[in-house]
Amino acid sequence: MYPEYLVEPMRKELTNVGFQELKNAADVDQAIKGEGTVLVVVNSVCGCAAANARPAARAAAAHEKHPDKLVTVFAGMEKEAVDQARNYMMPFPPSSPAMALFKDGKLVHMIERHQIEGRPAQMIADNLIGAFEQYCS
């Protein structure tokens, strides 16, 4: 676990643009299950989250076609919520940061850490936007 004062600015990078923080397993279940599209961002304190993942998520969320729900869990903080989100992301191994798009409760698009590290944020955003165009109404 990290000190809250350290992660608060990292949380706000996403919540300030409309992402809802999920703090426990029930929150995750409620967000993912059901109809519609949901983008889940597994946030992290690492450098690739700061330089690549969060900027990409913010850029993609601003696209005219985007998921019905934008949610986030924070690795190293809310373990129960992160573990539950990762259960939905199976068979992909746990990674942070990571981004997963769900449609009607089913995983339809996944971006793992190895696809985030060393890639420009706009490239990652374009990947997400492509998935939004395909799966979001």
Side-chain angles (χ1 to χ4, degrees), residues 5-78:
Y5 73 86
L6 177 71
V7 302
E8 184 62 25
M10 298 172 206
R11 292 180 191 276
K12 286 184 177 180
E13 284 186 59
L14 295 179
T15 59
N16 284 347
V17 297
F19 281 80
Q20 175 192 358
E21 283 189 285
L22 306 178
K23 301 283 191 162
N24 58 52
D27 290 346
V28 172
D29 290 340
Q30 184 176 11
I32 293 175
K33 289 182 178 178
E35 293 183 17
T37 51
V38 183
L39 176 65
V40 179
V41 174
V42 179
N43 202 348
S44 172
V45 298
C46 71
C48 64
N52 310 78
R54 289 191 299 270
R58 289 193 317 267
H63 185 67
E64 64 183 335
K65 188 182 261 191
H66 57 78
D68 301 314
K69 297 178 198 169
L70 303 167
V71 301
T72 182
V73 296
F74 207 107
M77 295 301 289
E78 290 81 33

Coordinates of all heavy atoms in Angstrom, one line a residue, residues 5-78:
Y5 N -1.6 10.3 0.2 CA -1.2 11.6 -0.3 C -0.4 11.5 -1.6 O -0.4 12.3 -2.5 CB -0.4 12.4 0.7 CG 1.0 11.9 1.0 CD1 2.1 12.3 0.2 CD2 1.2 11.0 2.1 CE1 3.3 11.8 0.5 CE2 2.5 10.6 2.3 CZ 3.5 10.9 1.5 OH 4.8 10.5 1.8
L6 N 0.3 10.3 -1.7 CA 1.1 10.1 -2.9 C 0.2 9.7 -4.1 O 0.5 10.2 -5.2 CB 2.1 8.9 -2.6 CG 3.0 8.5 -3.8 CD1 4.0 9.5 -4.1 CD2 3.6 7.2 -3.5
V7 N -0.8 8.9 -3.9 CA -1.6 8.5 -5.1 C -2.8 9.4 -5.4 O -3.3 9.3 -6.5 CB -2.1 7.0 -4.8 CG1 -1.0 6.1 -4.6 CG2 -3.1 7.0 -3.7
E8 N -3.2 10.3 -4.5 CA -4.3 11.2 -4.8 C -4.2 11.9 -6.1 O -5.1 12.0 -6.9 CB -4.5 12.1 -3.6 CG -5.7 13.0 -3.7 CD -7.0 12.2 -3.8 OE1 -7.1 11.1 -3.3 OE2 -8.0 12.7 -4.4
P9 N -3.0 12.6 -6.4 CA -3.0 13.3 -7.7 C -3.1 12.3 -8.9 O -3.6 12.7 -9.9 CB -1.6 13.9 -7.7 CG -1.1 13.9 -6.2 CD -1.8 12.8 -5.6
M10 N -2.6 11.1 -8.7 CA -2.7 10.1 -9.8 C -4.2 9.6 -10.0 O -4.6 9.4 -11.1 CB -1.8 8.9 -9.5 CG -0.4 9.2 -9.4 SD 0.6 7.8 -8.8 CE 2.0 8.7 -8.1
R11 N -4.9 9.5 -8.9 CA -6.3 9.2 -9.0 C -7.1 10.3 -9.7 O -7.9 10.1 -10.6 CB -6.9 9.1 -7.6 CG -6.5 7.9 -6.8 CD -7.2 8.0 -5.4 NE -6.7 7.1 -4.4 CZ -7.0 5.8 -4.3 NH1 -7.8 5.3 -5.2 NH2 -6.6 5.1 -3.3
K12 N -6.8 11.6 -9.3 CA -7.5 12.7 -9.9 C -7.2 12.9 -11.4 O -8.1 13.5 -12.1 CB -7.1 14.0 -9.2 CG -7.7 14.1 -7.8 CD -7.3 15.4 -7.1 CE -8.0 15.5 -5.8 NZ -7.8 16.7 -5.1
E13 N -6.1 12.4 -11.9 CA -5.9 12.5 -13.3 C -7.0 11.8 -14.1 O -7.3 12.2 -15.2 CB -4.5 11.9 -13.7 CG -3.3 12.8 -13.4 CD -2.1 12.2 -13.9 OE1 -2.0 11.9 -15.1 OE2 -1.2 11.9 -13.1
L14 N -7.6 10.8 -13.5 CA -8.7 10.1 -14.2 C -10.0 10.6 -13.7 O -11.0 10.8 -14.5 CB -8.5 8.6 -14.0 CG -7.3 8.0 -14.7 CD1 -7.2 6.5 -14.4 CD2 -7.3 8.2 -16.2
T15 N -10.2 10.7 -12.4 CA -11.5 11.1 -11.9 C -11.9 12.5 -12.3 O -13.1 12.8 -12.5 CB -11.6 11.0 -10.3 OG1 -10.6 11.9 -9.8 CG2 -11.4 9.6 -9.9
N16 N -10.9 13.4 -12.6 CA -11.2 14.7 -13.1 C -11.8 14.8 -14.5 O -12.4 15.8 -14.9 CB -10.0 15.6 -13.0 CG -9.7 16.1 -11.6 OD1 -10.5 15.9 -10.7 ND2 -8.5 16.6 -11.4
V17 N -11.7 13.7 -15.2 CA -12.2 13.6 -16.6 C -13.4 12.6 -16.6 O -13.7 12.2 -17.7 CB -11.1 13.3 -17.6 CG1 -10.1 14.4 -17.7 CG2 -10.5 11.9 -17.4
G18 N -13.9 12.2 -15.5 CA -15.1 11.4 -15.5 C -15.0 10.0 -15.1 O -16.0 9.2 -15.1
F19 N -13.8 9.5 -14.8 CA -13.7 8.1 -14.3 C -14.2 8.0 -12.9 O -14.0 8.8 -12.1 CB -12.2 7.6 -14.4 CG -11.8 7.3 -15.8 CD1 -11.4 8.2 -16.7 CD2 -11.7 5.9 -16.2 CE1 -10.9 7.9 -17.9 CE2 -11.2 5.6 -17.4 CZ -10.9 6.6 -18.3
Q20 N -14.9 6.9 -12.6 CA -15.4 6.6 -11.3 C -14.4 5.6 -10.6 O -14.1 4.6 -11.2 CB -16.8 6.0 -11.4 CG -17.3 5.6 -10.0 CD -18.6 4.7 -10.1 OE1 -19.1 4.5 -11.2 NE2 -19.1 4.2 -9.0
E21 N -14.0 5.9 -9.4 CA -13.2 5.0 -8.7 C -14.0 3.9 -8.1 O -15.1 4.1 -7.5 CB -12.5 5.7 -7.5 CG -11.3 6.6 -8.0 CD -10.5 7.0 -6.8 OE1 -11.0 8.0 -6.1 OE2 -9.4 6.5 -6.6
L22 N -13.5 2.6 -8.2 CA -14.1 1.5 -7.6 C -13.3 1.0 -6.5 O -12.1 0.8 -6.6 CB -14.3 0.4 -8.7 CG -15.0 0.8 -10.0 CD1 -15.1 -0.4 -10.9 CD2 -16.4 1.3 -9.7
K23 N -13.9 0.9 -5.3 CA -13.1 0.6 -4.1 C -13.2 -0.8 -3.5 O -12.5 -1.2 -2.7 CB -13.5 1.6 -3.0 CG -13.4 3.1 -3.3 CD -11.9 3.5 -3.2 CE -11.8 5.0 -3.4 NZ -10.6 5.5 -2.9
N24 N -14.2 -1.6 -4.0 CA -14.4 -2.9 -3.5 C -14.9 -3.8 -4.6 O -15.3 -3.4 -5.7 CB -15.2 -2.9 -2.3 CG -16.6 -2.3 -2.5 OD1 -17.3 -2.7 -3.4 ND2 -17.0 -1.4 -1.7
A25 N -15.0 -5.1 -4.3 CA -15.5 -6.1 -5.3 C -16.9 -5.8 -5.7 O -17.2 -6.0 -6.9 CB -15.3 -7.5 -4.7
A26 N -17.8 -5.4 -4.8 CA -19.2 -5.2 -5.2 C -19.3 -4.0 -6.2 O -20.1 -4.1 -7.1 CB -20.0 -4.9 -3.9
D27 N -18.4 -3.0 -6.0 CA -18.4 -1.9 -6.9 C -18.0 -2.3 -8.3 O -18.6 -1.9 -9.3 CB -17.4 -0.8 -6.5 CG -17.8 0.0 -5.3 OD1 -19.0 -0.1 -4.8 OD2 -16.9 0.7 -4.7
V28 N -17.0 -3.2 -8.4 CA -16.5 -3.7 -9.7 C -17.6 -4.6 -10.3 O -17.9 -4.4 -11.5 CB -15.2 -4.6 -9.5 CG1 -14.8 -5.3 -10.8 CG2 -14.1 -3.7 -9.0
D29 N -18.2 -5.5 -9.6 CA -19.3 -6.3 -10.1 C -20.4 -5.4 -10.7 O -20.9 -5.6 -11.8 CB -19.9 -7.2 -9.0 CG -19.0 -8.3 -8.6 OD1 -18.0 -8.6 -9.4 OD2 -19.2 -8.9 -7.5
Q30 N -20.8 -4.4 -9.9 CA -21.9 -3.6 -10.4 C -21.6 -2.8 -11.6 O -22.4 -2.6 -12.5 CB -22.3 -2.6 -9.3 CG -23.5 -1.7 -9.6 CD -23.9 -0.8 -8.5 OE1 -23.2 -0.7 -7.5 NE2 -25.0 -0.2 -8.6
A31 N -20.3 -2.4 -11.8 CA -19.9 -1.6 -12.9 C -19.8 -2.4 -14.2 O -20.2 -2.0 -15.3 CB -18.5 -0.9 -12.6
I32 N -19.3 -3.7 -14.0 CA -19.0 -4.5 -15.2 C -20.2 -5.3 -15.7 O -20.5 -5.4 -16.9 CB -17.8 -5.4 -15.0 CG1 -16.5 -4.5 -14.8 CG2 -17.6 -6.4 -16.1 CD1 -15.3 -5.3 -14.5
K33 N -20.9 -5.8 -14.7 CA -22.1 -6.7 -15.1 C -23.2 -5.8 -15.7 O -23.3 -4.7 -15.4 CB -22.6 -7.4 -13.9 CG -21.7 -8.5 -13.4 CD -22.3 -9.2 -12.2 CE -21.4 -10.4 -11.8 NZ -22.0 -11.0 -10.6
G34 N -24.0 -6.4 -16.6 CA -25.1 -5.8 -17.1 C -24.9 -5.3 -18.5 O -23.8 -5.6 -19.2
E35 N -25.8 -4.5 -19.0 CA -25.7 -4.1 -20.4 C -24.9 -2.8 -20.5 O -24.7 -2.1 -19.6 CB -27.1 -3.7 -20.9 CG -28.0 -5.0 -21.1 CD -29.4 -4.6 -21.6 OE1 -29.6 -3.5 -22.2 OE2 -30.3 -5.5 -21.5
G36 N -24.3 -2.7 -21.7 CA -23.5 -1.5 -22.0 C -22.1 -1.7 -22.0 O -21.6 -2.9 -21.9
T37 N -21.3 -0.7 -22.3 CA -19.9 -0.8 -22.4 C -19.2 -0.1 -21.2 O -19.7 0.9 -20.7 CB -19.3 -0.2 -23.7 OG1 -19.9 1.2 -23.8 CG2 -19.7 -1.0 -24.9
V38 N -18.1 -0.7 -20.7 CA -17.3 -0.2 -19.6 C -15.9 -0.3 -19.9 O -15.4 -1.3 -20.3 CB -17.6 -1.0 -18.3 CG1 -16.9 -0.5 -17.1 CG2 -19.1 -1.2 -18.1
L39 N -15.2 0.9 -19.7 CA -13.7 0.8 -19.7 C -13.2 0.8 -18.3 O -13.5 1.7 -17.5 CB -13.1 2.1 -20.4 CG -11.6 2.2 -20.5 CD1 -11.0 1.0 -21.3 CD2 -11.2 3.5 -21.0
V40 N -12.4 -0.2 -18.0 CA -11.7 -0.3 -16.7 C -10.3 0.0 -16.8 O -9.6 -0.7 -17.6 CB -11.9 -1.7 -16.1 CG1 -11.2 -1.8 -14.7 CG2 -13.4 -2.1 -16.0
V41 N -9.8 1.0 -16.1 CA -8.3 1.3 -16.1 C -7.8 0.8 -14.8 O -8.2 1.3 -13.7 CB -8.1 2.8 -16.4 CG1 -6.6 3.1 -16.2 CG2 -8.6 3.2 -17.7
V42 N -6.8 0.0 -14.8 CA -6.0 -0.4 -13.6 C -4.9 0.6 -13.5 O -3.9 0.6 -14.3 CB -5.5 -1.8 -13.7 CG1 -4.7 -2.2 -12.4 CG2 -6.6 -2.9 -13.9
N43 N -5.1 1.5 -12.6 CA -4.1 2.6 -12.4 C -2.9 2.1 -11.6 O -3.0 1.1 -10.9 CB -4.8 3.8 -11.7 CG -4.2 5.1 -11.9 OD1 -3.0 5.2 -12.4 ND2 -4.9 6.2 -11.6
S44 N -1.8 2.9 -11.6 CA -0.6 2.4 -11.0 C 0.3 3.6 -10.7 O 0.1 4.7 -11.3 CB 0.1 1.4 -11.9 OG 1.4 1.1 -11.4
V45 N 1.2 3.5 -9.8 CA 2.2 4.6 -9.5 C 3.4 4.5 -10.4 O 4.2 5.4 -10.4 CB 2.7 4.5 -8.0 CG1 1.5 4.7 -7.0 CG2 3.4 3.2 -7.7
C46 N 3.5 3.5 -11.3 CA 4.7 3.4 -12.1 C 4.8 4.5 -13.2 O 3.8 5.1 -13.5 CB 4.7 2.0 -12.8 SG 3.5 1.8 -14.0
G47 N 5.9 4.6 -13.7 CA 6.2 5.7 -14.7 C 5.4 5.5 -16.0 O 5.0 6.5 -16.6
C48 N 5.2 4.2 -16.4 CA 4.4 4.0 -17.6 C 3.0 4.4 -17.5 O 2.3 4.7 -18.4 CB 4.6 2.7 -18.2 SG 4.1 1.3 -17.3
A49 N 2.5 4.3 -16.2 CA 1.1 4.8 -16.0 C 1.0 6.3 -16.1 O 0.1 6.9 -16.7 CB 0.6 4.4 -14.6
A50 N 2.1 7.0 -15.6 CA 2.1 8.4 -15.6 C 2.3 9.0 -17.0 O 1.6 9.9 -17.4 CB 3.2 8.9 -14.7
A51 N 3.2 8.4 -17.7 CA 3.6 8.9 -19.0 C 2.7 8.4 -20.2 O 2.6 9.1 -21.2 CB 5.1 8.6 -19.3
N52 N 2.2 7.2 -20.0 CA 1.5 6.6 -21.1 C 0.0 6.3 -20.8 O -0.8 6.6 -21.6 CB 2.2 5.3 -21.5 CG 3.7 5.5 -21.7 OD1 4.4 5.6 -20.7 ND2 4.2 5.6 -22.9
A53 N -0.2 5.5 -19.8 CA -1.6 5.0 -19.6 C -2.6 6.0 -19.2 O -3.7 6.1 -19.9 CB -1.6 3.9 -18.5
R54 N -2.3 6.8 -18.2 CA -3.3 7.9 -17.8 C -3.6 8.9 -18.9 O -4.7 9.2 -19.2 CB -3.0 8.5 -16.5 CG -3.1 7.6 -15.3 CD -3.0 8.3 -14.0 NE -1.8 8.9 -13.7 CZ -0.7 8.3 -13.1 NH1 -0.8 7.0 -12.7 NH2 0.4 8.9 -12.9
P55 N -2.5 9.4 -19.6 CA -2.8 10.3 -20.7 C -3.5 9.7 -21.8 O -4.4 10.3 -22.4 CB -1.4 10.7 -21.1 CG -0.5 10.5 -20.0 CD -1.1 9.3 -19.2
A56 N -3.3 8.4 -22.1 CA -4.0 7.7 -23.2 C -5.5 7.5 -22.8 O -6.4 7.8 -23.6 CB -3.4 6.3 -23.4
A57 N -5.7 7.2 -21.5 CA -7.1 7.0 -21.1 C -7.9 8.3 -21.1 O -9.0 8.3 -21.6 CB -7.1 6.4 -19.7
R58 N -7.2 9.4 -20.7 CA -7.9 10.7 -20.8 C -8.2 11.1 -22.2 O -9.3 11.6 -22.5 CB -7.0 11.8 -20.1 CG -6.9 11.6 -18.6 CD -6.3 12.9 -17.9 NE -5.2 13.4 -18.6 CZ -3.9 13.1 -18.4 NH1 -3.6 12.2 -17.4 NH2 -2.9 13.7 -19.0
A59 N -7.3 10.9 -23.1 CA -7.5 11.2 -24.5 C -8.6 10.4 -25.1 O -9.4 10.9 -25.8 CB -6.2 11.1 -25.3
A60 N -8.6 9.1 -24.9 CA -9.6 8.3 -25.5 C -11.0 8.6 -24.9 O -12.0 8.6 -25.6 CB -9.2 6.8 -25.2
A61 N -11.0 8.9 -23.6 CA -12.3 9.2 -23.0 C -13.0 10.4 -23.6 O -14.2 10.6 -23.6 CB -12.2 9.3 -21.5
A62 N -12.1 11.3 -24.1 CA -12.6 12.6 -24.7 C -13.2 12.3 -26.1 O -13.8 13.2 -26.7 CB -11.5 13.6 -24.8
H63 N -12.9 11.2 -26.7 CA -13.4 10.9 -28.1 C -15.0 10.9 -28.1 O -15.6 10.5 -27.1 CB -12.9 9.5 -28.5 CG -13.2 9.1 -29.9 ND1 -12.7 9.8 -31.0 CD2 -14.0 8.2 -30.4 CE1 -13.2 9.3 -32.1 NE2 -14.0 8.3 -31.8
E64 N -15.6 11.3 -29.2 CA -17.0 11.4 -29.2 C -17.7 10.1 -29.0 O -18.8 10.0 -28.4 CB -17.5 12.0 -30.5 CG -17.2 11.2 -31.7 CD -17.6 11.9 -33.0 OE1 -18.5 12.7 -33.0 OE2 -17.0 11.5 -34.1
K65 N -17.2 9.0 -29.4 CA -17.7 7.7 -29.2 C -16.9 7.0 -28.1 O -15.7 6.8 -28.3 CB -17.7 6.8 -30.4 CG -18.5 5.5 -30.3 CD -18.4 4.7 -31.5 CE -19.7 4.9 -32.3 NZ -19.8 3.9 -33.4
H66 N -17.5 6.8 -26.9 CA -16.7 6.2 -25.8 C -17.7 5.3 -25.0 O -18.9 5.4 -25.2 CB -16.1 7.3 -24.9 CG -17.0 8.3 -24.4 ND1 -17.8 8.1 -23.3 CD2 -17.3 9.6 -24.8 CE1 -18.5 9.1 -23.0 NE2 -18.3 10.0 -23.9
P67 N -17.1 4.6 -24.1 CA -18.0 3.6 -23.3 C -19.0 4.4 -22.4 O -18.9 5.5 -22.1 CB -17.0 2.9 -22.4 CG -15.7 3.1 -23.1 CD -15.7 4.4 -23.8
D68 N -20.1 3.6 -22.1 CA -21.1 4.1 -21.2 C -20.6 4.5 -19.9 O -21.0 5.4 -19.2 CB -22.2 3.1 -21.1 CG -22.9 2.7 -22.4 OD1 -23.2 3.6 -23.2 OD2 -23.0 1.5 -22.7
K69 N -19.6 3.7 -19.4 CA -19.0 3.9 -18.1 C -17.5 3.9 -18.2 O -16.9 3.1 -18.9 CB -19.4 2.8 -17.1 CG -20.9 2.6 -16.8 CD -21.1 1.5 -15.8 CE -22.5 1.0 -15.8 NZ -22.7 -0.2 -15.1
L70 N -16.9 4.8 -17.4 CA -15.4 4.9 -17.3 C -15.1 4.7 -15.8 O -15.6 5.5 -15.0 CB -14.9 6.3 -17.8 CG -15.3 6.7 -19.2 CD1 -15.0 8.2 -19.4 CD2 -14.5 5.9 -20.2
V71 N -14.4 3.6 -15.5 CA -14.1 3.3 -14.1 C -12.6 3.0 -14.0 O -11.9 2.7 -14.9 CB -14.9 2.1 -13.6 CG1 -16.4 2.4 -13.7 CG2 -14.6 0.8 -14.3
T72 N -12.2 3.1 -12.7 CA -10.8 2.8 -12.4 C -10.6 2.1 -11.1 O -11.4 2.4 -10.2 CB -9.9 4.1 -12.5 OG1 -8.6 3.8 -12.3 CG2 -10.4 5.1 -11.5
V73 N -9.6 1.3 -11.0 CA -9.1 0.7 -9.8 C -7.7 1.0 -9.6 O -7.0 1.2 -10.6 CB -9.4 -0.9 -9.7 CG1 -10.9 -1.2 -9.8 CG2 -8.7 -1.6 -10.9
F74 N -7.2 1.0 -8.4 CA -5.8 1.5 -8.2 C -4.9 0.3 -7.6 O -5.2 -0.1 -6.5 CB -5.7 2.7 -7.3 CG -4.5 3.5 -7.6 CD1 -4.6 4.7 -8.2 CD2 -3.2 3.1 -7.2 CE1 -3.5 5.5 -8.5 CE2 -2.1 3.8 -7.5 CZ -2.2 5.1 -8.1
A75 N -4.0 -0.2 -8.4 CA -3.1 -1.3 -8.0 C -2.3 -0.8 -6.8 O -1.8 0.3 -6.8 CB -2.2 -1.8 -9.1
G76 N -2.2 -1.7 -5.8 CA -1.4 -1.3 -4.6 C -2.2 -0.5 -3.6 O -1.6 -0.1 -2.6
M77 N -3.5 -0.3 -3.9 CA -4.3 0.4 -2.9 C -5.5 -0.4 -2.5 O -5.6 -1.0 -1.5 CB -4.7 1.8 -3.5 CG -3.5 2.7 -3.7 SD -2.6 3.1 -2.2 CE -3.7 4.1 -1.3
E78 N -6.5 -0.5 -3.4 CA -7.7 -1.2 -3.1 C -7.6 -2.6 -3.7 O -8.1 -2.9 -4.7 CB -9.0 -0.5 -3.7 CG -9.3 0.8 -3.0 CD -8.4 2.0 -3.5 OE1 -8.0 2.0 -4.7 OE2 -8.1 2.9 -2.7

